[in-house]
Amino acid sequence: MEIWSKPGIVELPAYRDELGALSVIEGESPFPFDIRRVYFLFDVPSHATRGSHAHKDLHQLIIAVSGSFHVTLDDGRAAIDYFLDRPDRALAVPPGYWRTLTGFSAGSTALVLASHEYDPSDYIRDYDEFREWAAQR
Ligand code: TYD
């Protein structure tokens, strides 16, 4: 569960043979929360920056199911860049991280599993406000 107090890469099982590969997310593995929402980003122009917000309570698992993109996670003190380019390597994102998604390759799709339904009040969309909120956690 340590992974869910900090961000990190989670390897998904991949069942591979000469007919291709299959990865699965099931029960609590590797997302130890109820999956209350699934959404995906597609047709994102390569110059676009998505995200640019933080969540107060939401846990997410982000997967590059096709193509590649960068996810930068900032806890208010330091930022780490993750390059996602494989469908069987997911990024665990706990609450409290300012995230930006950039550098989408052509045809890429970012699949996101979320622990809660869409709730605008869970968002912090102003970076200065995020810094203040993060400093008080
Ligand atoms: P937004 O949060 O701005 O996307 P991103 O942070 O990935 O760049 O969301 C874009 C639009 O989609 C916005 O109008 C809100 C809407 N939306 C939903 O209705 N439900 C959702 O679960 C999400 C994530 C967004």
Side-chain angles (χ1 to χ4, degrees):
M1 214 54 148
E2 171 64 20
I3 191 80
W4 287 103
S5 57
K6 289 184 179 169
I9 295 293
V10 180
E11 303 281 342
L12 303 178
Y15 300 99
R16 184 179 291 278
D17 62 20
E18 65 280 6
L19 301 179
L22 184 154
S23 280
V24 61
I25 296 162
E26 179 180 40
E28 299 205 331
S29 179
F31 191 68
F33 308 95
D34 287 343
I35 299 170
R36 300 297 302 274
R37 179 163 52 110
V38 173
Y39 65 92
F40 43 96
L41 301 169
F42 61 102
D43 286 350
V44 181
S46 60
H47 61 267
T49 297
R50 302 290 310 227
S52 301
H53 62 252
H55 288 283
K56 298 174 193 167
D57 289 316
L58 189 73
H59 287 83
Q60 293 179 311
L61 190 69
I62 303 178
I63 305 167
V65 286
S66 65
S68 62
F69 49 87
H70 290 263
V71 183
T72 303
L73 298 178
D74 174 355
D75 67 0
R77 290 180 293 277
I80 300 180
D81 182 81
Y82 296 89
F83 180 59
L84 300 185
D85 65 347
R86 293 183 56 97
D88 56 357
R89 276 181 89 241
L91 177 62
V93 185
Y97 287 83
W98 187 267
R99 83 284 313 278
T100 48
L101 285 75
T102 57
F104 285 81
S105 67
S108 59
T109 302
L111 178 69
V112 184
L113 276 53
S115 61
H116 292 89
E117 292 171 32
Y118 182 59
D119 175 8
S121 72
D122 187 60
Y123 281 69
I124 304 173
R125 291 193 176 275
D126 179 86
Y127 187 71
D128 291 338
E129 187 186 326
F130 166 69
R131 289 284 303 269
E132 283 177 28
W133 178 86
Q136 287 168 9
R137 283 185 94 196

